Structures are given as structure tokens and as C-alpha cells.
Amino acid sequence: MKKVVRTTTTAHIPKKPIRYLDDKLTSIFQALRSILKAYEDKLEVKADREFHYELWTNRGYRIKSSRPRSRRGIAFASVIAFKNHIGFYFLPLSSDPTLMSNAKPELRSFSCGLYTFHFDTFEPIVAKQLEELVNEGWDFYKKKGLV
């Protein structure tokens, strides 16, 4: 039996590879990716493919359970292209949902869960709000000692 290794966000990748994205979704993917590129030198890039980009921390941690194990890396954010939208997964929101309390309604309208955003359109005002949210998440990870 073949062991499949998946990161936190790779479970969302469609089983069929995306062969074509229209220009609108490609530009959204590139815009979201450029927001995360600012943190690329501080974090580890786990996936950098045509339609999938993922950033993780390098910090190690220990799982406390009946079978303790050491692990390395905590997911920070990822951008994944789908057929009809671009998924943005921002994991600091799963640790601290209060980060979303400062978000404006324009950004909240794209929220699809605790830490997930689905973009089928992308405006400059939403990009600015998302940059601010990512910056707050980065500050949260630094404060908690995760980076």
C-alpha cells in the first residue's frame, strides 16, 4: 500500500489537474501569490507550482499524546486554483479567530469558513484588506513564537 503524504491544505487539491484557467482567475491567483511573496524569505515554501502555492514555518514542535512525536512546520497560508474560484487558506485564523474581527465587509463576503476565502473576483480594496490581515497573522505568529 502506497503511503500518501499530504500537508494541511493539499487535501483540497482537485484530483484532476487543472489544465486551463481563464485570464481572470490566473490574475487573481498571481495577486494572492504576490501578497504571500513578501513572507517567502521568512518562511518555507512547501509548494510552488503553477496553480498551488504554500508557505509554512520552520519551527519544530512536539505532539503531546499517547504516542508523542516531533513535527516540523506549521502552515501559514496557501493559494490553490480551482475550476471556478481561487482558494486562499490563511491558517493563523484557525489559531486566533479574533483576527477576523477587524476585517471589513468587503473581505468578509469572500470568507467561506474559519480560515478559508474563495475568490472569483478580486478588487484592489479587497487586496489591501487581505494584506493587512496577513500582516496581522504574521504578527500573531511572531507573538506566539511560531516563527
Side-chain angles (χ1 to χ4, degrees), residues 20 24 36 62 71 82 92 129:
Y20 173 76
K24 182 176 84 169
L36 295 180
R62 184 108 172 127
R71 295 279 187 241
F82 291 94
Q129 293 170 7

Side-chain angles (χ1 to χ4, degrees), residues 72-132:
R72 188 175 146 268
I74 298 169
F76 180 69
S78 68
V79 182
I80 302 174
F82 291 94
K83 183 178 178 183
N84 298 320
H85 68 276
I86 305 296
F88 184 80
Y89 301 90
F90 188 56
L91 282 299
L93 289 176
S94 66
S95 301
D96 186 17
T98 61
L99 290 172
M100 210 41 192
S101 63
N102 297 333
K104 304 273 191 298
E106 295 91 359
L107 181 61
R108 284 180 183 268
S109 66
F110 294 102
S111 180
C112 293
L114 185 61
Y115 59 88
T116 307
F117 298 90
H118 289 176
F119 294 100
D120 52 1
T121 60
F122 199 64
E123 298 168 7
I125 189 165
V126 176
K128 180 74 173 151
Q129 293 170 7
L130 192 61
E131 283 179 32
E132 292 170 2

Side-chain angles (χ1 to χ4, degrees), residues 21-38 48-53 79-81 86-88 119 122 127 130-131:
L21 266 185
D22 63 10
D23 293 337
K24 182 176 84 169
L25 290 179
T26 302
S27 66
I28 293 170
F29 181 85
Q30 294 303 328
L32 291 171
R33 188 177 181 183
S34 69
I35 291 172
L36 295 180
K37 282 276 190 186
D48 191 2
R49 286 179 244 152
E50 192 175 3
F51 301 118
H52 180 201
Y53 184 75
V79 182
I80 302 174
I86 305 296
F88 184 80
F119 294 100
F122 199 64
L130 192 61
E131 283 179 32

